[in-house]
Amino acid sequence: MMLNDLETAVRQSLETGRLGTPVSLRMHWQLPQPETDLAAWLALLARKFVSLLGDPPARLMAQRCAEGRQWHLLLTGTRGRTASLALGCGASKTPQAQLLVIGNHGLLRLTGSEPLEREPTALLPETEAWRAAVDESCRQQATVELKGFAISAAAR
């Protein structure tokens, strides 16, 4: 499954209304390549999937392990909805993904072994701002405020 297909599947599931209002999104990704730019992946995933919560992003906290092969991002929206993204590399032979969307009436769980088609080598300008926020939070080891970050109906 391609990343855009995954986003579309989640969006379509949310549109049915069975989950109610999404309040939390949890993602865990493992990539097989040990030399992967995980900060770029976090920026891309945050940009693409935060819009699913329908809550403009307010602040984020990014952390990484000393070797840089495991990153975690916690994002909080202006209305308190949260997204937690964990991303690692080099620990599995194939890509692995788990996605959980929690709504006030139910949840959606997706798992797979090949959700990511290729590493983002060139980030779109709107993703560059996410990357800068991820890098700043990691450098400062602190939460950063996200001013001027908006969500769109389909963040592509």
Side-chain angles (χ1 to χ4, degrees):
M1 178 180 273
M2 301 295 222
L3 189 57
N4 286 338
D5 297 334
L6 179 62
E7 178 189 12
T8 299
V10 171
R11 197 172 296 285
Q12 288 173 344
S13 181
L14 289 172
E15 288 171 358
T16 68
R18 283 190 254 164
L19 297 178
T21 301
V23 295
S24 182
L25 176 106
R26 303 286 181 256
M27 303 172 89
H28 183 261
W29 306 88
Q30 275 296 326
L31 303 170
Q33 306 86 349
E35 300 302 320
T36 301
D37 184 355
L38 295 180
W41 271 114
L42 277 177
L44 176 66
L45 293 170
R47 182 185 67 83
K48 288 184 96 39
F49 287 93
V50 72
S51 67
L52 296 172
L53 291 173
D55 189 5
R59 45 194 177 280
L60 72 77
M61 174 70 177
Q63 294 181 323
R64 66 183 172 129
C65 71
E67 300 85 32
R69 292 177 56 179
Q70 184 74 34
W71 283 66
H72 185 263
L73 178 118
L74 179 61
L75 182 77
T76 306
T78 58
R79 293 188 286 272
R81 298 175 189 165
T82 60
S84 173
L85 311 175
L87 192 55
C89 64
S92 66
K93 293 184 183 196
T94 60
Q96 302 291 319
Q98 297 176 350
L99 172 68
L100 178 66
V101 180
I102 301 168
N104 62 349
H105 295 298
L107 60 89
L108 170 67
R109 182 180 313 215
L110 298 172
T111 61
S113 61
E114 296 189 29
L116 306 174
E117 59 274 16
R118 64 186 178 280
E119 185 170 340
T121 54
L123 296 177
L124 298 171
E126 57 271 21
T127 306
E128 286 289 350
W130 282 101
R131 170 66 187 261
V134 167
D135 288 341
E136 180 182 348
S137 175
C138 194
R139 187 173 44 257
Q140 292 182 5
Q141 297 183 358
T143 301
V144 296
E145 299 294 320
L146 300 174
K147 297 191 180 353
F149 283 70
I151 58 171
S152 63
R156 295 196 197 290

